[in-house]
Amino acid sequence: MTALITGAGGGLGRAIAMAMADRGAVVVATDIDLDRARETARLVEEAGGRAHAVAVDVTDPASAAAAVQAAVAAAGPLTALVNNAAIYATIRRAPFDEITVDEWDRVMAVNLRGPWVMAVAARDALQDGGRIVNISSATVYSGSAQWAHYVASKAGVIGLTRVLAREFGPRGITVNAVAPGFTLTEASYGLIEDADSYGVARSALHRSAQPEDIVGAVLYLAGPDSGYITGQTLVVDGGRQFI
Ligand SMILES: NC(=O)c1ccc[n+]([C@@H]2O[C@H](COP(=O)([O-])OP(=O)(O)OC[C@H]3O[C@@H](n4cnc5c(N)ncnc54)[C@H](OP(=O)(O)O)[C@@H]3O)[C@@H](O)[C@H]2O)c1
């Protein structure tokens, strides 16, 4: 398996990269910050896996095309694309009528245009029978206040996932989304006060999520055992909401 992961310079993307490499995948860790992608590749290799680091700005079709080309040159045709990059750590939360147009567009460009741009760029590089996994968010179902731009972008990801499932389907390529609940990444600690206890009481499992709690769903949807599942969204939130 060869997997290209966006936003793999830290947080959930890095955890996905580590887990996929652990299962034998050649990982192409991409991020807008090449140094952070290189650090992920270094950690993968230190753990005995195979990885390459490539820079990409997922909002930019030329950058996406160049990244996919570099990935194929380094690692061969892709079996999986994981669209994980997003404006999350640096989002400016605000009531819906105080979000600026610039901030709205910045979030949409990365979170919604990004997965589409990457799917277009990876179309020919993805092997038939391959996988696309898009990272959405459980906030789509909770409708979290002061996140209108973020929640709308992540709802868009679910719609995009369904359309891509139909359009890639004839090639045996599945397209699914994972919607994580609040997860203790570095970004989350920067965004939410009392992150360690946030939402715990509402969770059926009565504990917070670590990035490693989310990766299992990604591995499954990116792997060989999910070949008849497509266009779906898997909520991974410790049972905070039942969809
Ligand atoms: N953590 C949670 O509670 C949670 C819950 C639900 C869903 N999610 C989703 O899970 C994913 C990972 O979240 P996380 O917590 O790991 O946050 P994160 O650390 O902010 O991860 C996002 C990554 O995307 C990168 N990125 C931003 N703009 C980019 C661009 N234009 N092109 C390429 N890469 C870009 C960021 O790079 P820089 O940092 O260098 O800008 C960062 O490495 C995101 O899609 C997020 O929306 C997270």
Side-chain angles (χ1 to χ4, degrees):
M1 179 194 276
T2 300
L4 190 158
I5 303 156
T6 68
L12 185 53
R14 178 172 287 168
I16 293 168
M18 299 291 290
M20 288 186 123
D22 188 54
R23 303 293 167 94
V26 181
V27 160
V28 181
T30 72
D31 201 276
I32 196 162
D33 182 336
L34 181 58
D35 286 342
R36 279 163 46 86
R38 284 190 174 131
E39 177 62 6
T40 296
R42 191 190 66 74
L43 290 168
V44 166
E45 285 174 348
E46 200 175 82
R50 290 171 293 167
H52 304 273
V54 172
V56 71
D57 177 351
V58 299
T59 68
D60 176 4
S63 173
V68 168
Q69 197 176 20
V72 172
L78 304 178
T79 42
L81 165 66
V82 181
N83 283 313
N84 165 79
I87 299 296
Y88 174 67
T90 62
I91 202 157
R92 286 189 284 280
R93 297 181 62 183
F96 76 94
D97 52 352
E98 292 178 20
I99 294 169
T100 64
V101 169
D102 281 351
E103 177 70 348
W104 180 275
D105 288 349
R106 183 177 82 99
V107 170
M108 287 293 167
V110 179
N111 296 15
L112 184 51
R113 190 205 305 168
W116 167 67
V117 163
M118 288 305 300
V120 173
R123 184 194 60 199
D124 297 337
L126 263 176
Q127 288 180 316
D128 289 357
R131 306 275 183 261
I132 298 177
V133 181
N134 296 322
I135 305 301
S136 176
S137 168
T139 58
V140 171
Y141 303 100
S142 60
S144 301
Q146 304 203 338
W147 292 76
H149 42 359
Y150 180 80
V151 173
S153 72
K154 292 297 188 177
V157 168
I158 292 173
L160 176 69
T161 297
R162 294 173 181 176
V163 174
L164 293 181
R166 293 209 185 274
E167 298 199 19
F168 276 102
R171 293 174 52 195
I173 294 171
T174 67
V175 188
N176 291 288
V178 171
F182 184 70
T183 305
L184 292 173
T185 61
E186 199 180 311
S188 293
Y189 280 110
L191 274 173
I192 306 283
E193 273 179 42
D194 301 326
D196 282 317
S197 57
Y198 182 80
V200 167
R202 294 196 306 276
S203 131
L205 294 176
H206 278 260
R207 67 173 180 85
S208 307
Q210 299 294 332
E212 292 68 27
D213 288 310
I214 311 301
V215 300
V218 179
L219 287 174
Y220 174 62
L221 292 172
D225 296 333
S226 58
Y228 201 59
I229 300 173
T230 195
Q232 306 301 321
T233 299
L234 184 50
V235 176
V236 184
D237 72 346
R240 271 174 214 177
Q241 304 173 86
F242 300 126
I243 308 307

